[in-house]
């Protein structure tokens, strides 16, 4: 029955409020007494303005019994010594209104706010928002109409909103309605996603006008449930994590969603890995609210100063579409850190470019006080920085005392880690137009991990762990002296396995990169062509090494927390060619190695069995694990960091008492330059080794096959590995025999077993010659024959051993091949025979020589 909702009293106001507070059952307009109902009555339109303040007649309470038909009794409320009507000075109105709110009565002023009204302090402004939303939720709004007098007052006296709201443009979130506000109450800014990712200058500038000129004391950033912009941005982010290629933004909407990707990334990082898209998106709504608050603090000197002096507060909230209630989140947890920002204005208004991504940090340089940068945004920062460098328009300026002090006080938080070459022509920070604090840089000759890999890997683990970098970039460069030197050494026929200096050792171990590069090019490629290809190969080689030998890097890449990319810097153009992720990333992520070779050796981190050596008392090693042990052992051998130690009496006794249980059977060549156990850094008891000239089954195949059947049967070995090697004398001799025109029909006329061996191997040379064509050189035919001979031996075992076939068919056994490169010490792993699936259907029971003997018997 009343239209005036805030009561301003004279000096007896405090007594009146105490009276209301004493009424413990007072709520809103009707208040339950123990035996009845009391209703606060206030005359229609009674409040008028006086030259000294507000004129307020005496209020009354109507008291009656619940359900009674008796007329109500109107009782005036008059405090002792009060006057009626009361005149209350205008300057006392805010505190009285605050006390009235404390009494628990959700009311609002009868008139509109204008510039003549005093501004409430931030705490009071926040209470007004909460009370307004409570009325909206309860369905008892009071700001239901305006009249000509109110509109004229706003026109004549101007606005003085008590709060500024940054909200979403969603039509389901009418901000003024949600807070039961009248014109003049709220200064409202809205866009899709209540964000500052784009057009942030407009948002920030508008808020600075509101708090500086209109004197508003509260800023509320309000998100809402089921926000379409956030849900779409989350979907785009998750699609990108699953490998769905995201096309460059072709519309403003796509640009907006891309800018919100960091919010989705942060939300996904905060939640358990099992969280679904819906849960991530809903959490991202809250993350986005604080992200916007932090942005305002970071990039507005005006707002920061107001907050620091207590004149303004910035709070967050989330409007629930279903209930209508606003969940007030309070201030940003990072407010204190962002208040130390030195940034005076938003990026787009300070001349920064790169899709608004150039953020130097709140102190002008990046520090640990700044938010983390997700991998994709970190990559964009590198790309944008390199574009500026290459075009001659860098933005990285000088650092001042405040910036350096911020780096000391808050610590570093680089957005990317770079492994680059030490070449003086490749200054990493300059290439990416980076300021101090942005890049964590590791450099050596050849941007490699062939030596001191423990230092490189350990440093990287530090950067992605405590420093929270989200991107690793391995950066090679054109005309790399280290790679060119390694290529020359590899191609030089006078090269030696001796390493007389650290430089020679570095170049020697880079030889495998040159070898892989040569294999990728057509025959006849020049040394310069091989070297330039080797630069790219070396980048991926380093990336694969990091994934292979760092559990921390692997896990973070697998979980999507970080990304590992490669690139090549062109000395001539200044541009970086970004290569993306390693083609072998999925495969290398299956590695189970935890430490680089040198650290593993130093720490004694090796699993040789429960007795320090492998025996039958140890568990069976599965094929995949056995292959991993071979690869890791060869890597240690190749980099000169073997782990094999001395065998003591207790180990030898364990081998005698418990017996052997080799994890792999190796069929290798008898060449003295190919010591099988050494090549795989194996201890006694680990490898069951069969060797003959040419690692073949052309003669004495019964012995080879029978020995292998014993190994996989009685000893329960789960991997057979056929190993050839470069410069194989047996295969080279067979090739020469083939090219000399020797016929198989002549083999019985020779009195030499060697001649018979070479003639039988000449079939392989013939196949190699046919596959390569008439232009192939002898060296080419020999190299190809070595590869074919490995597969020939594997095929023989599958074809003529029923036991091996059955084990392979059931998945109990793996049969794989490889080639040991004398030049580099590395084994090239070839995998299974291409003909395996066909040969598994063979019905041969015995090798030819054994089959003939059984028939003769």
């Amino acid at each position: 029955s009343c239209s005036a909702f805030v009561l301003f009293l004279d000096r007896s106001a405090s007594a009146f409020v105490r009276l209301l507070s004493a009424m413990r059952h007072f709520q809103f307009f009707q208040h339950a007494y123990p035996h009845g109902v009391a209703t606060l009555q206030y005359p229609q339109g009674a409040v008028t303005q006086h030259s000294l303040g507000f004129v307020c007649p005496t209020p009354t309470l109507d008291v009656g019994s619940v359900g009674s038909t008796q007329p109500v009794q109107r009782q005036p409320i008059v405090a002792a010594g009060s006057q009626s009507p009361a005149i209350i000075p205008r300057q006392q109105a805010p505190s009285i209104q605050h006390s009235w709110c404390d009494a628990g009565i959700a009311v609002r002023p009868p008139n509109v706010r204008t510039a003549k009204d005093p501004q409430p302090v931030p705490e009071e402004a926040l209470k007004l928002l909460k009370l307004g939303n409570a009325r909206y939720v309860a369905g008892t709004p009071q700001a239901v109409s305006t009249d000509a007098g109110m509109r004229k007052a706003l026109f004549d006296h101007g606005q003085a909103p008590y709060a500024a709201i940054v909200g979403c443009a969603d039509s389901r979130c009418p901000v003024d309605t949600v807070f039961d506000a009248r014109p003049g109450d709220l200064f409202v800014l809205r866009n899709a996603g209540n964000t500052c990712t784009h057009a942030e200058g407009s948002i920030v500038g508008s808020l600075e006008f509101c708090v500086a000129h209109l004197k508003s004391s509260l800023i509320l950033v309000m998100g809402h449930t089921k926000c379409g912009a956030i849900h779409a941005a989350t979907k785009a982010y998750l699609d990108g994590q699953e490998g769905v290629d995201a096309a460059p933004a072709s519309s403003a909407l796509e640009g907006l969603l891309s800018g919100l990707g960091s919010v989705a990334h942060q939300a996904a990082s905060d939640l358990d890995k099992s969280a679904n898209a819906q849960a991530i998106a809903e959490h991202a709504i809250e993350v986005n609210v604080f992200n916007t608050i932090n942005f305002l603090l970071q990039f507005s000197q005006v707002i920061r100063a107001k907050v620091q002096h207590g004149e303004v507060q910035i709070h967050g909230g989330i409007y629930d579409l279903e209930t209508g209630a606003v969940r007030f989140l309070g201030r940003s947890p990072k407010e204190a850190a962002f208040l130390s920002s030195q940034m005076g204005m938003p990026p787009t208004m300070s001349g920064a470019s790169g899709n608004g991504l150039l953020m130097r940090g709140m102190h002008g340089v990046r520090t640990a006080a700044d938010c983390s940068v997700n991998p994709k945004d970190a990559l964009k920062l590198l790309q944008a920085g390199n574009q500026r460098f290459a075009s001659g328009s860098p933005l990285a300026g000088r650092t001042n005392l405040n910036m350096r002090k911020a780096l000391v006080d808050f610590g570093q938080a680089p957005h990317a880690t770079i492994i680059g070459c030490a070449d003086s022509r490749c200054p990493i920070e300059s290439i990416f137009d980076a300021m101090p604090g942005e890049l964590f840089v590791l450099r050596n000759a050849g941007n490699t991990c062939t030596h001191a890999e423990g230092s490189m890997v350990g440093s990287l683990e530090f950067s992605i762990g405590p420093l929270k970098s989200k991107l690793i970039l391995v950066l090679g460069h054109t005309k790399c002296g280290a790679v060119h030197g390694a290529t020359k050494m590899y191609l030089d026929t006078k090269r030696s396995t001796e390493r007389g200096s650290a430089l020679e050792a570095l170049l020697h171990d880079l030889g495998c990169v040159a070898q892989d590069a040569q294999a990728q090019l057509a025959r006849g490629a020049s040394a310069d062509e091989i070297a330039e290809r080797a630069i790219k190969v070396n980048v991926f080689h380093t990336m694969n090494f990091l994934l292979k030998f760092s559990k921390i890097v692997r896990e973070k890449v697998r979980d999507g927390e970080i990304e590992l990319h490669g690139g090549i810097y062109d000395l001539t153009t200044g541009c970086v060619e970004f290569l993306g992720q390693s083609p072998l990333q999925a495969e290398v992520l299956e590695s189970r190695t935890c430490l680089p070779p040198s650290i593993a050796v130093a720490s004694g981190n090796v699993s040789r069995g429960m007795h320090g050596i492998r025996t039958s008392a140890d568990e069976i090693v599965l094929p995949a694990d056995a292959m991993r042990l071979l690869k890791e052992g060869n890597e240690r051998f190749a980099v000169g960091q073997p782990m094999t130690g001395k065998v003591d009496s207790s180990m030898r006794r364990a081998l005698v008492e418990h017996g052997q249980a080799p994890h792999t059977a190796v069929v290798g060549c008898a060449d003295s330059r190919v010591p099988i156990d050494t090549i795989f850094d194996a201890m006694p008891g680990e490898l069951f080794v069969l060797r003959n000239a040419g690692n073949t089954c052309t003669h004495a195949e019964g012995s080879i096959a029978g020995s292998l059947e014993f190994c996989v049967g009685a000893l329960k070995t789960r991997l057979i590995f056929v190993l050839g090697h470069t410069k194989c004398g047996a295969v080279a001799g067979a090739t020469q025999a083939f090219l000399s025109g020797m016929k198989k029909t002549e083999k019985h006329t020779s009195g030499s077993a060697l001649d018979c061996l070479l003639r039988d191997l000449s079939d392989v040379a013939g196949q190699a010659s046919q596959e390569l064509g008439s232009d192939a050189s002898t060296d080419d035919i020999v190299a190809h024959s070595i590869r074919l001979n490995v597969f020939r031996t594997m095929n023989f075992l599958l074809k003529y051993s029923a036991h091996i076939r059955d084990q392979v068919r059931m998945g109990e056994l793996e049969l794989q091949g490889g080639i040991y490169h004398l030049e580099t010490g590395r084994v090239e792993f070839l995998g299974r025979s291409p003909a395996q699936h066909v040969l598994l259907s063979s019905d041969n029971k015995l090798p030819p020589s054994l089959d003939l003997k059984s028939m003769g018997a």
Side-chain angles (χ1 to χ4, degrees):
S1 62
C2 55
S3 61
F5 303 113
V6 172
L7 184 63
F8 297 114
L9 302 175
D10 61 359
R11 61 184 180 274
S12 63
S14 59
F16 179 65
V17 169
R18 286 195 297 273
L19 170 64
L20 295 181
S21 299
M23 299 177 181
R24 299 299 184 185
H25 305 285
F26 232 100
Q27 281 192 343
F28 292 94
F29 295 106
Q30 290 193 337
H31 309 278
Y33 279 93
H35 305 290
V37 175
T39 304
L40 176 66
Q41 297 289 333
Y42 203 72
Q44 176 80 15
V47 176
T48 58
Q49 292 198 41
H50 187 275
S51 60
L52 298 177
F54 297 99
V55 179
C56 305
T58 303
T60 62
L61 281 177
D62 290 350
V63 181
S65 301
V66 177
S68 173
T69 59
Q70 297 298 319
V72 298
Q73 301 175 21
R74 176 159 295 180
Q75 301 176 3
I77 301 178
V78 179
S82 67
Q83 54 180 318
S84 180
I87 299 178
I88 178 69
R90 185 183 300 273
Q91 62 268 26
Q92 293 184 22
S95 61
I96 295 175
Q97 180 177 341
H98 175 56
S99 300
W100 184 266
C101 294
D102 283 343
I105 303 177
V107 294
R108 57 155 295 116
N111 295 323
V112 292
R113 285 188 57 81
T114 71
K116 284 196 170 185
D117 294 308
Q119 284 286 15
V121 297
E123 293 81 3
E124 292 172 353
L126 183 62
K127 286 183 179 179
L128 289 174
L129 287 181
K130 291 180 177 179
L131 291 172
N133 180 243
R135 294 192 299 272
Y136 170 71
V137 173
T140 58
Q142 299 171 10
V144 292
S145 64
T146 57
D147 56 31
M150 296 177 182
R151 290 189 292 272
K152 187 175 187 305
L154 286 170
F155 176 80
D156 290 343
H157 304 299
Q159 63 175 318
Y162 63 80
I165 313 291
V166 179
C168 183
D170 193 302
S171 63
R172 300 168 294 178
C173 307
V175 175
D176 295 279
T177 304
V178 166
F179 292 110
D180 188 29
R182 276 199 177 124
D185 285 347
L186 302 178
F187 189 87
V188 180
L189 303 167
R190 295 172 69 178
N191 63 22
N194 45 277
T195 178
C196 287
T197 56
H198 292 75
E200 71 278 5
S202 170
I203 297 289
V204 177
S206 300
L207 288 172
E208 289 183 355
F209 168 75
C210 185
V211 300
H213 296 279
L214 303 182
K215 308 298 182 183
S216 297
S217 62
L218 179 69
I219 298 172
L220 178 76
V221 178
M222 186 174 77
H224 67 93
T225 58
K226 303 295 182 182
C227 179
I230 301 296
H231 276 257
T234 302
K235 181 180 185 303
Y237 166 76
L238 294 176
D239 285 347
Q241 295 300 107
E242 294 174 359
V244 179
D245 292 332
S250 58
S251 68
L253 172 60
E254 291 177 1
L256 172 66
L257 298 183
S258 175
L260 285 170
S262 61
V263 172
H265 171 78
Q266 182 61 51
S269 300
D270 290 346
L271 299 179
D272 186 83
K273 294 179 175 58
S274 61
N276 58 27
Q278 175 73 17
I280 294 173
E282 287 302 307
H283 182 52
I285 291 168
E286 180 172 326
V287 172
N288 184 50
V289 167
F290 287 123
N291 189 64
T292 298
I293 294 175
N294 295 340
F295 187 97
L296 297 174
L297 290 169
Q298 180 175 359
F299 290 109
S300 174
Q301 183 177 359
V302 172
I303 293 175
R304 279 199 306 274
K306 292 282 186 181
V307 173
Q308 287 169 334
H309 293 130
E311 299 174 27
V312 172
Q313 290 183 9
I314 309 181
H315 287 248
I318 295 177
Y319 171 61
D320 191 312
L321 292 179
E322 185 174 358
T323 67
V326 174
R327 177 164 62 96
F328 290 87
L329 304 175
R331 304 185 191 187
S332 167
K334 296 184 178 180
E335 180 179 289
F338 279 100
L339 285 177
S340 62
S341 171
Q342 300 296 315
M343 304 300 287
M345 62 182 66
T348 55
M349 304 185 80
S350 61
S353 59
N355 296 323
L357 285 170
L358 181 62
M359 296 186 183
R360 295 300 190 191
M362 66 177 69
H363 302 97
V365 289
R366 181 165 177 77
T367 72
D370 296 303
C371 297
S372 63
V373 179
N374 69 54
K376 289 180 172 51
D377 284 345
L379 184 61
K380 289 178 182 178
L381 286 172
L382 292 183
Q383 292 170 335
N386 179 243
Q387 289 174 1
R388 295 191 299 272
F389 168 76
S391 64
S393 55
L395 292 176
R398 297 178 180 178
T399 56
N400 56 35
L401 178 62
N402 289 335
M403 294 177 183
R404 292 190 291 271
K405 186 175 185 301
L407 286 169
V408 173
D409 292 344
F410 295 98
Q412 63 175 316
H415 61 71
T417 299
I418 315 288
I419 297 181
C421 184
D423 193 303
S424 63
R425 300 168 294 177
C426 305
I428 304 296
E429 286 85 359
S430 298
I431 289 171
F432 294 109
D433 189 29
M435 291 279 283
E438 295 182 1
L439 302 180
F440 190 85
V441 179
L442 304 168
R443 296 173 70 177
N444 64 21
N447 44 276
T448 178
C449 288
T450 55
H451 290 77
E453 74 282 0
S455 170
M456 299 295 277
V457 176
S459 299
L460 282 173
E461 291 181 353
F462 171 71
S463 74
I464 63 177
L467 301 185
K468 302 186 185 306
S469 292
K470 303 299 183 183
L471 178 69
I472 299 172
L473 180 76
V474 178
L475 184 69
H477 68 92
T478 58
K479 304 297 181 183
C480 178
V483 176
H484 274 258
T487 301
K488 182 179 184 301
M489 177 176 283
Y490 167 73
L491 297 174
D492 188 355
T493 56
K494 295 181 180 180
R495 63 186 175 275
S496 168
T497 56
E498 295 296 325
R499 309 179 189 188
S501 67
L503 172 60
E504 290 177 2
L506 171 66
L507 299 182
H508 181 279
D509 288 331
L510 278 172
C512 63
V513 172
Q515 173 191 327
D516 290 345
Q518 185 181 38
Q520 294 178 14
L521 298 173
R523 292 196 307 274
S526 68
D528 283 345
E529 290 173 331
I530 295 172
E532 287 304 304
R533 174 60 66 89
I535 290 168
K536 177 184 280 190
V537 172
N538 185 47
V539 167
F540 287 127
H541 185 270
T542 298
M543 295 165 66
N544 295 338
F545 186 97
L546 296 174
L547 290 169
K548 183 175 183 179
F549 288 107
S550 172
K551 180 180 179 182
I552 293 176
V553 173
R554 277 197 309 274
E555 288 181 346
K556 288 186 176 290
V557 169
R558 189 182 296 118
D559 294 342
E561 292 183 35
I562 70 168
E563 291 186 5
L564 176 58
H565 287 247
I568 296 177
Y569 170 61
D570 191 309
L571 292 178
T572 303
T573 67
C575 295
V576 173
E577 176 191 1
F578 291 88
L579 304 176
Q581 298 173 335
S582 167
L584 298 178
Q585 177 167 296
E587 175 185 336
V588 185
L589 283 176
E590 298 303 316
S591 172
R592 291 167 56 187
T593 310
C594 296
L595 293 172
S598 62
I599 294 182
V601 173
S603 63
N605 188 287
V606 57
S607 178
R608 295 299 191 186
M610 66 177 66
H611 299 96
I613 202 161
R614 181 162 180 78
T615 72
S616 60
D618 296 304
E619 294 181 353
I620 294 173
V621 179
L622 298 176
D625 291 332
M627 179 60 70
R628 174 178 56 82
L629 290 172
L630 290 183
K631 291 179 178 180
E632 292 172 0
N634 179 245
E635 183 71 24
R636 295 191 299 270
F637 167 75
V639 299
Q641 298 286 351
M643 297 167 65
T644 302
K646 295 181 180 180
V647 180
D648 58 31
S649 59
S650 64
M651 295 177 183
R652 290 191 292 270
R653 185 166 57 252
L655 285 170
V656 173
E657 294 176 355
H658 299 285
Q660 63 175 318
H663 61 71
T664 303
V666 181
V667 179
C669 184
D671 193 303
S672 63
R673 300 169 295 178
V674 190
I676 306 294
D677 296 279
T678 303
I679 288 171
F680 293 111
D681 190 30
M683 290 277 282
E686 296 183 356
L687 302 180
F688 189 88
V689 180
L690 303 168
R691 297 174 67 178
N692 63 23
N695 45 276
T696 178
C697 288
T698 55
H699 290 78
E701 72 278 6
S703 169
I704 296 290
S707 299
L708 289 173
E709 289 182 359
F710 166 75
C711 187
V712 302
L715 304 183
K716 304 186 185 307
T717 300
R718 294 293 180 254
L719 176 67
I720 297 175
F721 192 73
V722 178
L723 182 68
H725 67 92
T726 58
K727 303 297 181 181
C728 179
V731 176
T735 302
Q736 190 61 46
F738 167 76
L739 296 176
S740 298
M742 297 178 66
K743 307 294 184 181
K744 281 189 176 184
T745 54
E746 301 172 355
K747 69 179 179 179
H748 297 297
T749 63
S750 172
S752 166
L754 173 60
D755 289 341
C756 292
L757 172 65
L758 298 182
R759 277 195 297 270
D760 283 339
L761 278 173
S762 65
D763 287 346
V764 176
Q767 181 182 348
S769 178
Q770 182 179 0
E771 290 181 2
L772 294 178
S774 58
D775 294 336
S777 67
T778 300
D779 287 345
D780 291 337
I781 296 173
V782 170
H784 193 44
S785 296
I786 290 168
R787 182 179 299 264
L788 293 179
N789 186 48
V790 169
F791 289 128
R792 184 191 192 199
T793 299
M794 295 164 66
N795 295 342
F796 184 97
L797 295 172
L798 288 169
K799 185 175 182 179
Y800 291 111
S801 172
H803 183 68
I804 290 175
R805 270 199 314 276
D806 291 343
Q807 293 289 308
V808 172
R809 190 183 296 117
M810 292 186 296
E812 295 290 324
L813 176 69
E814 281 276 354
L815 178 57
Q816 299 206 26
I819 297 174
Y820 170 62
H821 290 265
L822 295 177
E823 303 89 342
T824 66
R826 297 183 184 272
V827 172
E828 176 188 357
F829 292 87
L830 303 178
R832 301 173 182 175
S833 166
Q836 176 170 300
H837 67 288
V838 175
L839 294 170
L840 286 177
S841 62
S842 173
D843 57 1
N844 293 303
K845 304 294 185 182
L846 294 170
S849 62
L850 293 180
D851 195 31
L852 288 173
K853 290 179 180 178
S854 64
M855 290 171 58

